[in-house]
Amino acid sequence: MNEFLHVLTDNWTTIWQHFWVTIQLFLIAGVASLVLGTLLTAMRVSPVPALRGFGTTYVLLLRNCPLTLVFALLVFAVPKLDVNIDYFPSACIALTAYTSAFVCEALRAGINTVPVGQAEAARALGMTFGQVLSLIVLPQAFRTVVPPMVSVLNAMLKNTTVAAGFSVAEAGAIQAYLSERGENQIYTILWIMIGFLILVLPLIVMQRRLENRWGVAR
Amino acid sequence: MRITRIAAMAAVATLSLGLAACGKEGTPTPETPGQSGAPAAASDACTSSGATLTPATGVDIAGSPTFAKIKSAGKVVVGVKFDQPNLGYKDASGKRCGFDIEIAQLIASKLGIDPAKIEYKEVASANRETSIKGGEVDYYVGTYSITDKRKADVSFAGPYFIAAQDLLVRKDDTSITGSESLKGKKVCSATGSTPIQRVRDQKLTEDSNIVEFKTYSECVSQLIDKKVDAVTTDDAILKGYAAQNPSMLKVVGKPFTDPATGKAYPEKYGIGLSHDDKALRDFVNASLEAAEKDGTWQKIYDGTLGKSGSSATIPPLEKY
Amino acid sequence: MSSNLLYDLPGPKAKLRNRLLGAVSLVGIVALLVYIVLRFNDTGQFDSIKWQQFEYAAIQQQLLDGYLTTLKTAGAAAVLALLFGALLAAGRLSDHLYFRAPTSFVVELFRAIPLLVLIFFAYYGPIQLGYKVGPFWPLVIALTLYNGAVLSEIFRAGVNAVARGQSEAAYALGMRKTQVMTSILLPQAIRAMLPAIVSQVVVLLKDTALGFLIQLPELLYVGKSIGGRLPFGLPYVPSYLIVAAMYIGTCGLLSWFAFWLQKRLMGGRRRKTTAPPVPLTNEPGTPIV
């Protein structure tokens, strides 16, 4: 027990710094993927066939590609295009691109639950596509998809650990650092698990709160 | 819908079979390239040094659990590296060669196992101790530096070679001349390796400029892409990479020195063994001694590491 | 509501505008692709030397072996995860608190811990305790634990989504809980949830790519080692492109299978939608990722 606590106290700065990078990755990629995902959904239901095709292809490609491969392509293939992106921004971009595909899918399913009458009434009032989407449909769709959306964000929080394999000093790299210093591996991993459990708690709390406030009986 | 799906799956299946059928036999050898960015014609194919290694007969090591396991299995499992040219390398056809590989074969032959029957396992730098402790490999030969901290987990026979820490940079980069000129430059190495620890502890560059990947070839790739400015590890490894691509890479040639003693940090390559198996350790040390005396070590060296221009001095064995 | 109710059918002006927008975006996308291809060409990615390795049978065999390892790992983990998920779901749906509480805790625990950390735990844990373990089983066990928890949520959502009248009628007829579950609820639940289950298997297949961290020679690891050969110009880009194509192909086939399954089982959809719809439930276990 003593050794277990010592693993945390001796390496507190390392552990905390790495988790802070994880939190940063999560916040940046979370906001960005929500925005990009909403944009993709708008593209997929838009009247322009080309945009619909682009959205569908994008989601098809990124839903079926492992996240590690997305990272690998960003870190190894993109420099060949003479575009030099630092490792942390690369990680943010990879996570955003990947998660936005799932956000798009969840939101599209949400659009399907909004009653038809809403869109018909909006069109009867003469609203354009953009107005229908932004004023009527999407707000209601968002309210329905709170659980799946939180699930997507939860998964993204855990996916941030993949960045550790691509030179981002976040929580997934703690194990390698501490084993260098000769710390007990099992205790290290237990502490990392506890850290992630703590990080997931705000998400669950937020989900309950939002469900209570926004939940719609259908 | 059903027909198209079955058709699609059939198409994929035939395609894959067809591809497998029309593969060329033999080892891929790089043609002479014509465009920029491609390396000079260094052969990828593995050639052995030509040292004859006949398996010894009637070998018995009393009190060695690892040897008992080897004997009953009839083969030996060795942990190696696969992407270090002239040290531990696997060419495109799957053949292995290099100084470390041949030392591993030498030990196997002294243990009475035919070198052709060795089962090689590729283990990354960060996982070496765990693979030896877990019994995943019987011994490990792969630029494994002997350090006191590692001696708590595993034991070492040797050293069979001493390298120094150096830097690999782009050929046209003149700004990096040694360990003192790394400030503001991005330095890459393998996660969990001694060289990058040293860079971090001595603050040779800023923390944000330290880049770590699982394998050195990824570091070299980032170096060529100008995403990092230097790759640091043992000069033996770096010289192998430089020899494979002399038009784009060069080794700085100024080993890192200990500020206290003024001498280069020695990277003593040892054979990683189980922590408690003293009998095997003594046997391996004796085998190394014999090979160094009768010229086998030199022959292996000249045919592998010697090709990339490292100097050859037989290091004294550290027995314990 | 399908998408073409969000906007009026395009009149002549709108059609022209759509065509224009379509042309502009098409030009934009083609320009981007051409730029990428040209830049790759400039930096020598299409040099024959980088693609040379792939003509050889040995390399193709390595890729195939990696692919088979991926499929083997995914297959084993999928079967075990389904069993584990069914077990956990049975626990969570139980009437007795002493079954419900611990299984709920286990499910929430494994859903909260990153897969990477689970893999490290399953790999380094036994080694530290002195047991010899290769990279295959730790990956399978970690995948089983994580996906089992997610699948149990899917099963639970499926059972809860069956119309309440069904179970009410069954209880009214005098059936006991087990009978209700096995004869009435489960068959309907599984039919409804089958696409979601297949989607989760797709996720499982993609997650096998994390095996490269513990040196499992699966497809991504093989791609990395092929790409890391300096004499061939470090062909990471060709190697990763080929590996990506293989993953996208396999996962795409599986996703298509899920879509086809849903169409088959749900009797098709009356309206045309733009892409395969995702089953939506209000349960937190929706298998989006």
Side-chain angles (χ1 to χ4, degrees), chain A residues 3-91:
Chain A
E3 199 193 334
F4 183 59
L5 287 173
H6 266 299
V7 169
L8 181 71
T9 46
D10 290 344
N11 304 293
W12 172 247
T13 348
T14 314
I15 295 181
W16 166 240
Q17 276 175 344
H18 282 89
F19 267 108
W20 174 232
V21 173
T22 302
I23 295 175
Q24 284 176 307
L25 262 179
F26 171 69
L27 289 173
I28 296 176
V31 170
S33 52
L34 281 174
V35 168
L36 185 60
T38 316
L39 224 73
L40 280 168
T41 316
M43 274 200 254
R44 285 191 79 170
V45 296
S46 78
V48 185
L51 288 179
R52 280 208 297 269
F54 175 72
T56 315
T57 322
Y58 181 92
V59 170
L60 187 80
L61 282 178
L62 279 159
R63 272 192 77 175
N64 292 322
C65 196
L67 179 60
T68 4
L69 206 46
V70 176
F71 265 99
L73 284 171
L74 257 177
V75 170
F76 289 101
V78 166
K80 307 281 185 197
L81 302 173
D82 250 0
V83 179
N84 205 337
I85 314 177
D86 216 8
Y87 294 105
F88 184 78
S90 297

Side-chain angles (χ1 to χ4, degrees), chain B residues 1-2 5 8-9 12 19-20 22-31 33 35-36 38-39 42 44 69 82 89-94 122-124 127 130 134-136 214-215 217-218 220-221 224 241 244-245 249, chain C residues 41-44 46-50 52-53 55-60 62 64 123-124 127-128 130-135 212-215 221 224-225 228-234 236 240 253 256-257 259-260 263-264:
Chain B
M1 195 71 196
R2 199 174 195 170
R5 186 173 75 87
M9 283 175 40
V12 167
L19 272 173
C22 67
K24 280 199 242 181
E25 289 303 321
T27 320
T29 41
E31 307 161 349
Q35 278 182 293
S36 65
D44 177 64
K69 177 175 149 229
F82 63 96
Y89 191 69
K90 184 170 89 168
D91 74 7
S93 73
E122 298 165 8
V123 184
N127 304 333
T130 41
E136 211 180 318
K214 269 262 165 185
T215 55
S217 26
E218 287 170 288
V220 174
S221 167
I224 295 181
Y241 284 119
Q244 280 194 329
N245 196 344
L249 304 169
Chain C
N41 199 27
D42 276 344
T43 48
F46 292 126
D47 283 349
S48 64
I49 194 169
K50 292 219 161 109
Q52 237 189 321
Q53 289 189 76
E55 295 173 17
Y56 285 83
I59 297 292
Q60 291 169 10
Q62 280 176 24
L64 204 65
Y123 183 63
Y124 290 114
I127 286 183
Q128 175 140 2
Y131 294 105
K132 168 185 171 165
V133 57
F212 84 93
L213 288 161
I214 51 174
Q215 275 87 50
Y221 182 83
K224 269 171 85 126
S225 66
R229 295 190 201 283
L230 192 50
F232 291 96
L234 286 175
Y236 276 115
Y240 282 148
L253 267 175
W256 195 9
F257 179 59
F259 173 48
W260 175 81
K263 276 188 69 171
R264 249 319 262 286

Side-chain angles (χ1 to χ4, degrees), chain A residues 105-184:
Chain A
E105 284 292 285
L107 207 50
R108 240 170 30 88
I111 288 183
N112 281 337
T113 67
V114 177
V116 174
Q118 298 281 313
E120 289 179 345
R123 272 174 43 218
L125 285 173
M127 292 189 180
T128 64
F129 169 71
Q131 286 173 319
V132 171
L133 212 56
S134 57
L135 292 174
I136 308 293
V137 174
L138 277 183
Q140 298 189 57
F142 263 116
R143 285 171 63 172
T144 326
V145 297
V146 167
M149 203 60 87
V150 173
S151 171
V152 170
L153 289 177
N154 186 6
M156 190 191 68
L157 174 67
K158 293 179 291 176
N159 281 338
T160 56
T161 50
V162 178
F166 294 91
S167 194
V168 175
E170 58 87 53
I174 294 181
Q175 184 268 336
Y177 272 73
L178 291 191
S179 78
E180 254 183 67
R181 298 184 194 168
E183 298 282 3
N184 187 322

Side-chain angles (χ1 to χ4, degrees), chain C:
Chain C
M1 168 179 54
S2 73
S3 46
N4 54 17
L5 291 173
L6 286 173
Y7 47 87
D8 288 326
L9 285 170
K13 255 206 211 164
K15 274 212 187 115
L16 190 65
R17 198 182 54 213
N18 282 350
R19 284 223 193 96
L20 207 67
L21 266 172
V24 165
S25 33
L26 201 68
V27 164
I29 292 173
V30 168
L32 185 69
L33 284 172
V34 164
Y35 172 72
I36 291 179
V37 168
L38 280 180
R39 284 297 323 168
F40 274 157
N41 199 27
D42 276 344
T43 48
Q45 299 307 318
F46 292 126
D47 283 349
S48 64
I49 194 169
K50 292 219 161 109
W51 295 84
Q52 237 189 321
Q53 289 189 76
F54 296 104
E55 295 173 17
Y56 285 83
I59 297 292
Q60 291 169 10
Q61 187 60 40
Q62 280 176 24
L63 275 173
L64 204 65
D65 286 337
Y67 187 56
L68 286 174
T69 310
T70 298
L71 290 178
K72 250 191 345 190
T73 318
V79 166
L80 289 173
L82 282 168
L83 291 172
F84 188 54
L87 206 70
L88 285 176
R92 282 201 82 167
L93 288 167
S94 159
D95 286 331
H96 310 288
L97 188 64
Y98 51 84
F99 280 140
R100 240 191 7 252
T103 38
S104 297
F105 175 69
V106 165
V107 167
E108 290 303 322
L109 185 77
F110 285 133
R111 283 185 62 203
I113 300 178
L115 186 60
L116 201 108
V117 178
L118 273 176
I119 292 176
F120 281 156
F121 194 66
Y123 183 63
Y124 290 114
I127 286 183
Q128 175 140 2
L129 295 172
Y131 294 105
K132 168 185 171 165
V133 57
F136 179 77
W137 284 109
L139 184 63
V140 169
I141 290 175
L143 285 170
T144 305
L145 291 174
Y146 174 69
N147 287 292
V150 178
L151 278 171
S152 84
E153 288 294 279
I154 297 177
F155 290 144
R156 199 167 71 92
V159 169
N160 284 337
V162 175
R164 198 178 297 179
Q166 298 277 315
S167 57
E168 283 177 352
Y171 282 120
L173 283 174
M175 290 192 192
R176 282 173 316 161
K177 171 113 193 247
T178 331
Q179 282 176 309
V180 172
M181 200 55 93
T182 49
S183 317
I184 310 291
L185 291 178
L186 272 183
Q188 297 185 59
I190 291 183
R191 268 182 46 186
M193 284 292 132
L194 212 42
I197 294 175
V198 178
S199 303
Q200 193 57 33
V201 173
V202 169
V203 169
L204 201 149
L205 189 83
K206 286 190 302 171
D207 280 340
T208 56
L210 285 175
F212 84 93
L213 288 161
I214 51 174
Q215 275 87 50
L216 179 70
E218 46 79 43
L219 189 54
L220 187 62
Y221 182 83
V222 169
K224 269 171 85 126
S225 66
I226 293 179
R229 295 190 201 283
L230 192 50
F232 291 96
L234 286 175
Y236 276 115
V237 175
S239 182
Y240 282 148
L241 285 176
I242 292 183
V243 166
M246 288 170 86
Y247 270 115
I248 294 179
T250 315
C251 294
L253 267 175
L254 271 175
S255 302
W256 195 9
F257 179 59
F259 173 48
W260 175 81
L261 257 180
Q262 181 178 38
K263 276 188 69 171
R264 249 319 262 286
L265 294 174
M266 304 298 255
R269 297 184 71 80
R270 283 165 284 125
R271 295 171 299 238
K272 224 176 75 128
T273 49
T274 48
V278 173
L280 177 76
T281 67
N282 277 327
E283 288 300 315
T286 320
I288 302 293
V289 191

Side-chain angles (χ1 to χ4, degrees), chain B residues 14-311:
Chain B
T14 26
L15 249 176
S16 44
L17 279 172
L19 272 173
C22 67
K24 280 199 242 181
E25 289 303 321
T27 320
T29 41
E31 307 161 349
T32 329
Q35 278 182 293
S36 65
S43 174
D44 177 64
C46 253
T47 49
S48 95
S49 68
T52 40
L53 301 166
T54 41
T57 46
V59 183
D60 189 34
I61 310 175
S64 164
T66 322
F67 181 71
K69 177 175 149 229
I70 295 175
K71 195 147 174 216
S72 66
K75 66 173 173 131
V76 67
V77 183
V78 187
V80 292
K81 295 280 178 70
F82 63 96
D83 61 343
Q84 291 168 353
N86 294 331
L87 271 171
Y89 191 69
K90 184 170 89 168
D91 74 7
S93 73
K95 246 177 67 184
R96 296 183 191 265
C97 57
F99 187 58
D100 285 339
I101 303 281
E102 299 215 16
I103 294 281
Q105 290 172 342
L106 169 75
I107 304 293
S109 66
K110 295 267 195 241
L111 284 171
I113 308 282
D114 182 6
K117 286 230 207 77
I118 299 179
E119 182 185 321
Y120 296 101
K121 264 205 157 67
E122 298 165 8
V123 184
S125 293
N127 304 333
R128 289 183 283 211
E129 286 82 37
T130 41
S131 65
I132 296 177
K133 277 205 306 206
E136 211 180 318
V137 299
D138 296 321
Y139 56 91
Y140 188 95
V141 189
T143 60
Y144 202 6
S145 305
I146 304 177
T147 65
D148 288 327
K149 199 159 70 158
R150 285 175 181 160
K151 279 187 182 162
D153 287 324
V154 298
S155 71
F156 289 97
Y160 59 88
F161 186 76
I162 300 191
Q165 182 172 351
D166 210 326
L167 292 164
L168 181 74
V169 297
R170 289 181 288 272
K171 187 90 186 231
D172 50 11
D173 187 352
T174 47
S175 57
I176 299 184
T177 52
S179 56
E180 70 289 338
S181 49
L182 287 176
K183 286 273 189 257
K185 305 277 182 192
K186 285 200 184 316
V187 180
C188 184
S189 190
T191 353
S193 61
T194 345
I196 204 69
Q197 272 188 60
R198 207 168 276 146
V199 170
R200 190 178 288 121
D201 295 338
Q202 291 183 3
K203 300 216 187 302
L204 294 174
T205 186
E206 295 78 22
D207 269 351
S208 55
N209 280 336
I210 292 184
V211 177
E212 290 173 283
F213 280 100
K214 269 262 165 185
T215 55
Y216 291 116
S217 26
E218 287 170 288
C219 274
V220 174
S221 167
Q222 299 287 292
L223 177 69
I224 295 181
D225 288 342
K226 301 204 174 75
K227 284 194 78 173
V228 301
D229 304 303
V231 180
T232 182
T233 181
D234 310 333
D235 54 4
I237 304 174
L238 297 175
K239 286 193 175 130
Y241 284 119
Q244 280 194 329
N245 196 344
S247 58
M248 291 195 69
L249 304 169
K250 68 174 183 205
V251 178
V252 167
K254 197 162 156 238
F256 283 38
T257 47
D258 187 348
T261 63
K263 291 225 204 90
Y265 287 108
E267 296 293 332
K268 300 186 224 162
Y269 289 168
I271 299 175
L273 300 160
S274 166
H275 186 255
D276 303 315
D277 200 336
K278 180 154 167 51
L280 186 61
R281 193 162 67 232
D282 293 336
F283 182 85
V284 174
N285 275 327
S287 316
L288 281 174
E289 222 171 344
E292 285 162 4
K293 283 210 178 74
D294 68 13
T296 321
W297 187 98
Q298 189 65 45
K299 185 131 192 257
I300 293 180
Y301 180 85
D302 291 333
T304 54
L305 260 186
K307 290 198 290 196
S308 52
S310 297
S311 58

